[in-house]
């Protein structure tokens, strides 16, 4: 089941996010994100939360800030389900969705391409010394 994150989910999201990025708690203030209507946090929950998606909305544009799936649950289509749920329930027609992804993260790049994103630019050394692709999808 996919649902919007609640205040009770903050610790679980922070713990999962810290596995991805040690400074996650200082970078992403999940409590503020949940309170701020410009942010949308979706969680995938079956028995426990095993994945989340953070999206920022500004006017008619959306930016996927982070998608995380627990390591043991990867390659099971959960990321695809989170993105599908988001695409089908939030952006309106002609909305633009952007994201950045490391040029070395082939699994994520393949997922995003499968979901209709196209590479539109490169940000040099965006992730320390690693370049990032800027990708875009238009909801039609």
């Amino acid at each position: 089941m996919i649902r919007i994150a609640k205040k009770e989910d903050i610790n679980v999201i922070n713990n999962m996010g810290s596995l991805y990025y040690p400074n996650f708690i200082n970078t992403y203030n999940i409590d503020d994100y949940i309170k701020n209507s410009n942010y949308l946090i979706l969680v995938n929950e079956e028995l426990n939360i095993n994945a989340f998606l953070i999206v920022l909305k500004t006017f008619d544009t959306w930016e996927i800030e982070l998608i995380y799936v627990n390591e043991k649950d990867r390659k099971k289509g959960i990321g695809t389900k989170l993105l599908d749920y988001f695409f089908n329930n939030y952006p309106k027609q002609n909305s633009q969705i952007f994201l950045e992804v490391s040029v070395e993260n082939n699994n994520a790049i393949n997922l995003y391409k499968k979901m209709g994103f196209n590479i539109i630019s490169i940000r040099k050394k965006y992730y320390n010394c690693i370049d990032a692709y800027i990708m875009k999808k238009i909801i039609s």
Side-chain angles (χ1 to χ4, degrees):
M1 177 180 97
I2 296 173
R3 62 172 174 79
I4 295 176
K6 301 179 273 191
K7 192 170 182 81
E8 300 83 53
D9 302 323
I10 292 170
N11 287 338
V12 173
I13 293 169
N14 281 335
N15 290 336
M16 289 171 50
S18 294
L19 294 172
Y20 162 73
Y21 177 55
N23 202 25
F24 179 85
I25 293 172
N26 294 324
T27 304
Y28 300 92
N29 187 330
I30 299 302
D31 186 44
D32 284 349
Y33 282 23
I34 287 174
K35 293 175 188 172
N36 186 334
S37 62
N38 289 341
Y39 282 93
L40 172 66
I41 303 177
L42 298 174
V43 295
N44 184 66
E45 176 185 62
E46 289 171 17
L47 298 175
N48 297 302
I49 295 172
N50 63 350
F52 64 88
L53 170 69
I54 301 175
V55 184
L56 169 66
K57 181 174 185 345
T58 53
F59 304 104
D60 61 347
T61 301
W62 297 82
E63 183 173 343
I64 294 176
E65 291 205 350
L66 179 63
I67 184 168
Y68 180 83
V69 178
N70 278 339
E71 194 167 337
K72 67 180 179 63
D73 294 314
R74 293 180 186 160
K75 302 211 181 244
K76 296 180 180 177
I78 294 169
T80 300
K81 287 179 189 174
L82 276 169
L83 289 169
D84 274 339
Y85 184 90
F86 167 67
F87 297 148
N88 291 323
N89 291 284
Y90 292 96
K92 295 186 176 18
Q93 191 170 11
N94 297 320
S95 291
Q96 299 179 71
I97 305 166
F98 295 90
L99 60 85
E100 291 100 11
V101 61
S102 166
V103 298
E104 296 180 354
N105 191 343
N106 291 321
N107 289 335
I109 293 165
N110 291 334
L111 169 64
Y112 296 137
K113 284 182 176 180
K114 179 180 94 174
M115 301 302 294
F117 284 87
N118 295 303
I119 297 169
I120 61 167
S121 186
I122 295 178
R123 285 200 172 138
K124 296 291 184 186
K125 299 181 181 178
Y126 185 72
Y127 296 106
N128 295 323
C129 295
I130 301 169
D131 295 346
Y133 290 131
I134 300 172
M135 300 183 81
K136 176 181 173 182
K137 174 182 174 89
I138 298 176
I139 300 293
S140 51

